[in-house]
Amino acid sequence: HGKVTDFNGNPIEGASVELLDAKFEPIYRTITDRGGSYSLSVGEGVYVAMYACKDYPKENFEYWAWNVIAHSDLEINPRIDGLEVYAINAWMPQGAMPSMQAYFRPMSLMRAKKLSRELGIGFPASKDELKNLKVIDIAPRLMKDDLEVTIDAQTVEVFEINKVMETLDGGQSMYAYVIQTALPKQQTGSDYSRICITLRDSETEEMGEGCLFWKKPDYV
């Protein structure tokens, strides 16, 4: 359950909220009410992702929560705008300074629309229309001031930001990021952490957010 809003805290009525299975197909879905609130009754388990959006892709890109651990009542409050923080993964590097590494692919709605205009094609562009494009460049150019990362609701320092290339299944490439952050000062007793990444595109002023439910390693 939770509430879908924009980044000014305004509730978004009529937003779609979906919980996806391992095949990336929605198995639970609902629509937010006038106050932006939603609630889903789901089977206990771990779900690959939760999606929330309204007016995709014309007005907003999506909010994503990944590896959703539904073992008890769970509150997720999506905020949506023009940035999408897709495919968040995280790990703690063994044998290195205690820290967290996180990978994600950010995508900008305004940059995607601009790319379509430059190519003289419709929006949203189809895979066939983009097949001759080597790099689909719709990612913001992120600096440390453009990110906020929380782990278990505690803001952590961002040490490093690395822009990398990701090859898609069609052989094209898109930009993604690998970041290194500090660990939270206070540890929880849970066997997983909630990692939230909030982004701002300083050129387009778009915002975006996503989270990952990260299972802690069971080291002896």
Side-chain angles (χ1 to χ4, degrees):
H1 67 94
K3 186 175 182 179
V4 179
T5 68
D6 63 19
F7 280 82
N8 292 317
N10 299 309
I12 298 178
E13 179 184 3
S16 298
V17 180
E18 301 178 352
L19 200 60
L20 312 182
D21 64 10
K23 297 179 181 179
F24 228 66
E25 297 176 348
I27 52 175
Y28 299 100
R29 62 178 70 189
T30 190
I31 301 293
T32 57
D33 63 17
R34 292 181 61 184
S37 296
Y38 74 93
S39 179
L40 287 167
S41 295
V42 308
E44 182 177 353
V46 181
Y47 298 86
V48 66
M50 190 192 87
Y51 155 101
C53 197
K54 183 180 181 182
D55 298 326
Y56 173 85
K58 294 183 179 180
E59 299 295 331
N60 296 296
F61 267 174
E62 308 105 307
Y63 170 95
W64 290 95
W66 300 94
N67 195 44
V68 179
I69 299 174
H71 289 165
S72 60
D73 287 351
L74 185 62
E75 182 177 359
I76 301 177
N77 297 307
R79 295 191 293 178
I80 60 174
D81 190 57
L83 282 185
E84 178 178 344
V85 188
Y86 192 74
I88 301 175
N89 287 269
W91 62 96
M92 289 179 62
Q94 297 92 337
M97 183 182 83
S99 60
M100 183 69 69
Q101 303 266 7
Y103 169 94
F104 58 91
R105 187 207 305 165
M107 295 179 279
S108 157
L109 175 58
M110 291 181 66
R111 292 177 187 273
K113 288 181 176 180
K114 180 182 178 183
L115 179 62
S116 291
R117 290 195 301 269
E118 291 173 346
L119 296 174
I121 58 178
F123 180 82
S126 67
K127 286 186 177 181
D128 189 61
E129 289 174 315
L130 296 173
K131 65 182 180 181
N132 294 322
L133 199 63
K134 185 176 180 180
V135 178
I136 303 173
D137 186 3
I138 59 172
R141 298 162 180 85
L142 298 175
M143 306 294 288
K144 288 185 180 180
D145 289 343
D146 301 322
L147 287 86
E148 180 183 15
V149 180
T150 64
I151 302 177
D152 296 328
Q154 302 170 62
T155 300
V156 295
E157 181 180 356
V158 176
F159 295 135
E160 301 289 349
I161 302 176
N162 302 284
K163 193 173 185 178
V164 299
M165 299 292 287
E166 177 185 354
T167 299
L168 308 179
D169 57 7
Q172 298 160 305
S173 297
M174 292 186 72
Y175 290 108
Y177 284 86
V178 176
I179 63 173
Q180 181 189 15
T181 76
L183 299 176
K185 293 181 179 180
Q186 296 182 351
Q187 299 294 318
T188 68
S190 174
D191 61 354
Y192 68 88
S193 287
R194 189 187 304 206
I195 302 171
C196 295
I197 300 174
T198 304
L199 306 180
R200 180 181 67 92
D201 188 327
S202 59
E203 296 175 24
T204 67
E205 295 300 324
E206 296 168 293
M207 300 287 293
E209 191 169 63
C211 77
L212 167 72
F213 292 85
W214 178 74
K215 191 177 186 306
K216 299 175 182 178
D218 297 323
Y219 295 139
V220 175

